[in-house]
Amino acid sequence: MIIGLGIDVVETERMIAHGEDHAFMKRFLHSNEYEEILQSTEPRHILLASRFAVKEAFGKATGRGMRGMGFSEIEVSHDQFGRPFLILHGQARRIYAEIGAQYAHVSLTHETGVAAAVVILER
């Protein structure tokens, strides 16, 4: 049963300056995401924009927005086929359990100038 749906769209250009700001990235990203972005050949601002979109979409899907949780508590990872999934930490994990979510479906995309994400939470 679907208990939450969130969507977010981010202009990638908004993230250009943040892609060079390591202090920002360390606050915004989980340490695993930070390392992945540093090693990636993809432009950082695009990766940051897609991460921002999915974290905002997750907050919307919980029905609470980002209140009570930090962006770095929502980690985006990928399986061996490139399919994104979430690893939740701290308060994000607590809120996820509190609303009765058992599975999160994640979809990310980006085109010239925009990144978008959808998160569906199921019980």
Side-chain angles (χ1 to χ4, degrees):
M1 175 171 134
I2 294 174
I3 61 170
L5 170 66
I7 185 170
D8 198 61
V9 177
V10 176
E11 292 180 43
T12 57
E13 287 186 13
R14 284 181 44 209
M15 295 293 166
I16 290 174
H18 295 306
E20 300 307 317
D21 183 346
H22 291 269
F24 168 83
M25 289 193 296
K26 286 180 179 180
R27 283 190 315 274
F28 173 72
L29 299 168
H30 185 272
S31 58
N32 294 335
E33 292 175 302
Y34 177 73
E35 292 301 323
E36 180 184 327
I37 285 176
L38 290 183
Q39 295 174 15
S40 178
T41 58
E42 242 188 290
R44 284 185 193 161
H45 69 287
I46 292 172
L47 295 172
L48 286 171
S50 65
R51 295 296 194 291
F52 189 87
V54 76
K55 292 171 189 228
E56 283 283 327
F58 174 79
K60 292 172 183 177
T62 67
R64 300 172 184 211
M66 293 304 296
R67 285 181 301 280
M69 67 181 115
F71 284 101
S72 65
E73 296 176 336
I74 305 163
E75 179 184 352
V76 179
S77 192
H78 298 85
D79 69 13
Q80 69 270 24
F81 303 109
R83 180 181 178 188
F85 64 91
L86 300 180
I87 302 171
L88 303 173
H89 306 274
Q91 293 301 311
R93 183 190 310 198
R94 182 191 59 77
I95 290 168
Y96 181 82
E98 193 175 275
I99 65 172
Q102 297 174 339
Y103 192 79
H105 302 274
V106 179
S107 183
L108 299 169
T109 190
H110 57 81
E111 282 294 327
T112 304
V114 297
V118 174
V119 173
I120 298 171
L121 300 180
E122 274 191 295
R123 182 173 299 152

